[in-house]
Amino acid sequence: MESNTSKKRILRRFELVVKDQVYLFNKLKIKYLSIFIAVLFMGNCSSIAQDIHPLEPIKNHYKSLQSISAEPNAERSHLDKIDYPSDRYNSGSLIYIMVPPIYLNPGQIEKLKSLVKPPANSSDQTKAELEFLLAWQKKRTKSQEERAGEVLAPIGYWPHIGLLKSHSRYKSNLEHLFFEGRTVLGESCKPENYPATAKLLEGVTRDMRIMEFTVKYHLLRPRPYQLNDKLKPMAQMSTPSFASGHTLWAYIQAFVWSELVPTKRSEFLDLAYEVGESREIMGIHYPSDEEAARILAHQMLTEMLANSVFRADLENAKLEWK
């Protein structure tokens, strides 16, 4: 009898110990679950804070031209055999295909390379775009030609020039890096006054050049004047047409600047739009080259957000504009 009573007491104590342990375990589980949820929430908040502005809808002639069929047209099938001629390749631009990116990775470059595609040479859309460029050729004014060819055409930052301070174009190249910032925000907007912004723009522009020539030499789209000899371009270009490098540069700059100074977004985008349109005024790019560059620039920044170094550099640059 006594033995049974002892056994019951031991079992009872064991049950109490087990209950205490279960209670403690559940308490700890809830505690750490709460911590996990908090960390997850903070991570999500950080991610949300890093989101960039959404891409604005397509507009103006880019919208109307894009509504036309981009598919090959059998009546003009001979045009689909025309690529940008290999004997005109610019060797300097080809080097950028071999350069490692800063914020993107090779897998993202490959992914983005196939994001945009030009309409077929024989398509109704390309035909309409060529007619649009011929109309520009007839109506462009002297002042428009000067603005497009003498002011906007020379603008553009080239990372290889920035490697050597002894380079004859080092100073002007650095000024070009802040062209949009200076145009919209004033003459005090200089690299030496905003070093974190300069670092961010240098990295973004290096990746932009890699992306530009990766796409160009992947698709080999002929220039408009190579499909229609009635076009008399203001310059002969030594790289394929699609997508527009000038426009890619202009928009990726505009998107970055508008993350740093959001209140000026419309002004930055208007400037990028003007840069793109200037390439049509010159007769060296189809409108679809410009629209593809706008889309590609925004998607590049979206992809860059996956890189912690880019996010840190973006935040450091933002601090200079608080």
Side-chain angles (χ1 to χ4, degrees):
M1 187 76 171
E2 223 173 280
S3 175
N4 287 337
T5 304
S6 297
K7 287 179 181 178
K8 288 180 179 178
R9 286 175 181 167
I10 291 170
L11 286 172
R12 179 60 181 162
R13 286 175 186 167
F14 180 76
E15 287 174 359
L16 291 173
V17 170
V18 169
K19 282 184 177 179
D20 286 341
Q21 293 299 318
V22 169
Y23 173 77
L24 181 61
F25 174 78
N26 286 333
K27 191 173 181 181
L28 288 170
K29 184 168 70 173
I30 291 169
K31 176 183 177 183
Y32 287 110
L33 180 61
S34 300
I35 293 172
F36 173 77
I37 291 171
V39 170
L40 185 64
F41 177 76
M42 289 172 65
N44 284 339
C45 284
S46 174
S47 175
I48 291 169
Q50 289 282 2
D51 281 350
I52 62 172
H53 287 78
L55 181 65
E56 285 75 4
I58 187 173
K59 64 180 182 179
N60 299 344
H61 62 285
Y62 300 108
K63 184 176 181 179
S64 58
L65 287 167
Q66 197 175 75
S67 67
I68 303 170
S69 174
E71 297 303 312
N73 186 314
E75 294 179 2
R76 296 182 292 274
S77 60
H78 64 284
L79 294 175
D80 291 324
K81 298 175 183 178
I82 302 174
D83 284 335
Y84 185 85
S86 59
D87 61 349
R88 299 188 188 180
Y89 291 179
N90 180 301
S91 59
S93 64
L94 284 167
I95 291 172
Y96 275 98
I97 298 175
M98 300 183 288
V99 174
I102 299 292
Y103 297 132
L104 296 173
N105 61 51
Q108 289 172 312
I109 296 288
E110 282 299 303
K111 172 185 172 183
L112 289 166
K113 180 176 76 174
S114 302
L115 177 69
V116 289
K117 181 182 177 182
N121 292 349
S122 66
S123 69
D124 293 344
Q125 182 179 341
T126 296
K127 182 175 182 291
E129 291 189 348
L130 291 170
E131 290 169 354
F132 179 84
L133 295 178
L134 284 169
W136 252 126
Q137 184 170 280
K138 290 179 181 179
K139 70 180 182 181
R140 65 192 181 202
T141 64
K142 185 67 176 175
S143 62
Q144 286 174 326
E145 290 179 350
E146 290 175 353
R147 174 73 174 166
E150 298 175 21
V151 178
L152 298 178
I155 296 294
Y157 177 80
W158 292 92
H160 68 278
I161 293 176
L163 293 174
L164 293 173
K165 290 187 177 181
S166 58
H167 196 290
S168 60
R169 288 163 52 200
Y170 179 86
K171 185 177 179 181
S172 61
N173 188 55
L174 203 56
E175 289 175 355
H176 289 176
L177 185 66
F178 270 55
F179 168 73
E180 290 192 7
R182 187 172 62 255
T183 300
V184 173
L185 302 172
E187 290 299 320
S188 64
C189 187
K190 300 177 180 179
E192 58 266 32
N193 293 340
Y194 301 95
T197 300
K199 181 187 177 187
L200 175 68
L201 290 174
E202 284 172 346
V204 167
T205 308
R206 174 160 152 177
D207 285 10
M208 170 255 136
R209 291 297 179 196
I210 294 168
M211 195 76 253
E212 171 190 1
F213 296 116
T214 297
V215 172
K216 280 181 179 291
Y217 288 107
H218 171 58
L219 294 167
L220 297 175
R221 190 183 197 186
R223 293 282 173 168
Y225 48 84
Q226 290 165 343
L227 293 187
N228 190 323
D229 59 11
K230 292 180 181 178
L231 277 168
K232 307 302 177 187
M234 291 173 56
Q236 293 282 332
M237 309 307 294
S238 58
T239 58
S241 196
F242 189 90
S244 168
H246 248 69
T247 309
L248 184 62
W249 167 80
Y251 272 109
I252 205 164
Q253 283 256 329
F255 292 143
V256 171
W257 278 112
S258 63
E259 294 303 317
L260 304 179
V261 191
T263 56
K264 297 290 185 178
R265 183 174 178 87
S266 62
E267 293 175 55
F268 287 120
L269 293 184
D270 286 346
L271 181 56
Y273 185 98
E274 183 192 10
V275 170
E277 190 174 51
S278 73
R279 311 307 276 174
E280 298 159 29
I281 291 171
M282 292 181 69
I284 56 179
H285 273 294
Y286 311 84
S288 51
D289 294 342
E290 322 305 339
E291 178 56 20
R294 185 180 77 96
I295 292 170
L296 187 56
H298 191 269
Q299 192 59 40
M300 280 182 68
L301 284 188
T302 303
E303 290 287 333
M304 287 177 187
L305 285 174
N307 186 319
S308 60
V309 176
F310 171 77
R311 294 197 302 271
D313 286 352
L314 177 60
E315 286 305 309
N316 288 337
K318 283 180 178 180
L319 292 175
E320 294 183 328
W321 300 94
K322 295 282 186 187

